Amino acid sequence: MARFLEHSPSIKEFYVSEKLDGIRAIWTGTSLVTRQGNTISAPDWFIAALPKDIMLEGELWAGRGQFQQVTRTVLDKYPNSNQWLNIKFMLFDMPNVQGPFSHRLSLLKEHAKTLNQPFIEVATQRELGSITELERWHKNVIALGGEGLMLHNKNNFYTAGKSPALMKFKHHNDNEAIVIGYEPGNGKYKGMMGAIWVITSDNIKFKIGTGFSDDDRQNPPPLGSFIQYRHNGFTNSGIPRFARYVRLRPSPDS
């Protein structure tokens, strides 16, 4: 099971949020700084609203398509209080709190509620049930002028900078692979195929367990057959992320 989660993680392992086009900021408990540690000159009333001795991480944001406005406002050495009225601190993590992201998110919501400030919010984190839901939300966000989506593993401990447990959801890729094995289904799929093992032309082996209809599970693609699958990028090990079955292919060139 651990191997399966590493190679083909389920969307249910992640919280999903919109990727905000603002400026990353960290409240150290005493000062507001950029990710590189440079001081952000915010108005006194903005700083006074933040909690003492509690670290918060988030995005200084003014809405979709307003990145230039955020940059002009936030990076100004002499803060314009009126312009800062358009800025929100969208929180998404607590760097100095131990434990998985699910725990940090719960604490973050409690702190935001206690602060009770209209310009301090916790970025909405959704729990989705399928890749289809993820793709539908991604499509809507892009249509509305957004940047995309971010997926954060619920069990991830805080890591500064890039992490395989925090990733941007991008448009999907389509590829082909050869079926080399099966795994039996469980629950409602008991007695049917639960997943297929495949190998790519690059000799990468992994498992695909989603995208199948009930008929596909009762009559799985034959061993040695070519299938088309869809995925969203790769893990650090080169395994396709969120791989799901699309269709059977008569040959790799069809």
Side-chain angles (χ1 to χ4, degrees):
M1 185 64 175
R3 182 182 180 188
F4 169 68
L5 294 180
E6 177 187 354
H7 288 180
S8 183
S10 165
I11 187 62
K12 294 180 182 180
E13 295 177 42
F14 295 85
Y15 282 113
V16 185
S17 62
E18 180 174 345
K19 185 179 186 302
L20 305 178
D21 52 342
I23 290 180
R24 180 72 58 84
I26 297 175
W27 171 249
T28 67
T30 56
S31 59
L32 193 64
V33 299
T34 65
R35 187 162 42 186
Q36 292 75 31
N38 299 318
T39 300
I40 294 174
S41 300
D44 291 340
W45 56 264
F46 195 100
I47 296 297
L50 296 170
K52 302 302 180 185
D53 301 321
I54 295 176
M55 288 188 72
L56 302 172
E57 184 172 0
E59 198 88 358
L60 294 170
W61 189 63
R64 299 186 183 109
Q66 299 300 314
F67 178 74
Q68 293 303 322
Q69 177 186 336
V70 175
T71 301
R72 288 193 299 268
T73 302
V74 171
L75 299 184
D76 192 341
K77 185 176 180 179
Y78 303 100
N80 183 312
S81 190
N82 287 333
Q83 291 180 356
W84 270 86
L85 291 174
N86 298 315
I87 303 296
K88 287 189 174 183
F89 194 12
M90 304 297 292
L91 308 177
F92 50 73
D93 216 331
M94 300 186 71
N96 62 342
V97 172
Q98 296 296 314
F101 179 62
S102 57
H103 171 64
R104 301 199 305 277
L105 179 60
S106 179
L107 287 180
L108 195 59
K109 290 178 179 178
E110 291 179 13
H111 282 297
K113 186 176 181 180
T114 300
L115 294 174
N116 192 29
Q117 295 290 342
F119 55 88
I120 300 175
E121 296 182 18
V122 176
T124 300
Q125 301 282 352
R126 295 187 185 180
E127 296 180 87
L128 304 180
S130 68
I131 297 296
T132 299
E133 289 182 45
L134 183 70
E135 291 178 328
R136 186 182 301 121
W137 187 21
H138 181 267
K139 182 178 180 180
N140 289 340
V141 166
I142 296 300
L144 291 170
E147 287 256 303
L149 300 177
M150 297 297 297
L151 287 81
H152 200 149
N153 193 296
K154 296 176 181 179
N155 296 316
N156 179 46
F157 280 64
Y158 183 83
T159 302
K162 294 183 178 180
S163 166
L166 176 63
M167 55 192 173
K168 181 178 179 180
F169 181 82
K170 301 178 181 179
H171 290 291
H172 62 252
N173 307 101
D174 287 293
N175 279 303
E176 294 80 39
I178 300 174
V179 179
I180 59 173
Y182 307 109
E183 293 220 354
N186 297 308
K188 68 177 181 178
Y189 299 131
K190 187 174 182 180
M192 295 187 282
M193 178 270 292
I196 59 174
W197 279 96
V198 299
I199 186 169
T200 69
S201 59
D202 297 324
N203 206 36
I204 301 297
K205 298 178 183 179
F206 61 98
K207 184 160 59 173
I208 300 176
T210 62
F212 301 102
S213 66
D214 286 350
D215 184 63
D216 291 329
R217 293 185 183 280
Q218 293 169 353
N219 302 281
L223 292 175
S225 63
F226 288 90
I227 60 102
Q228 179 182 350
Y229 66 94
R230 186 164 290 168
H231 66 103
N232 295 85
F234 299 87
T235 68
N236 287 348
S237 302
I239 305 298
R241 289 190 187 276
F242 304 118
R244 56 269 191 202
Y245 177 79
V246 176
R247 67 185 178 102
L248 180 67
R249 297 190 65 129
S251 76
D253 300 316
S254 63

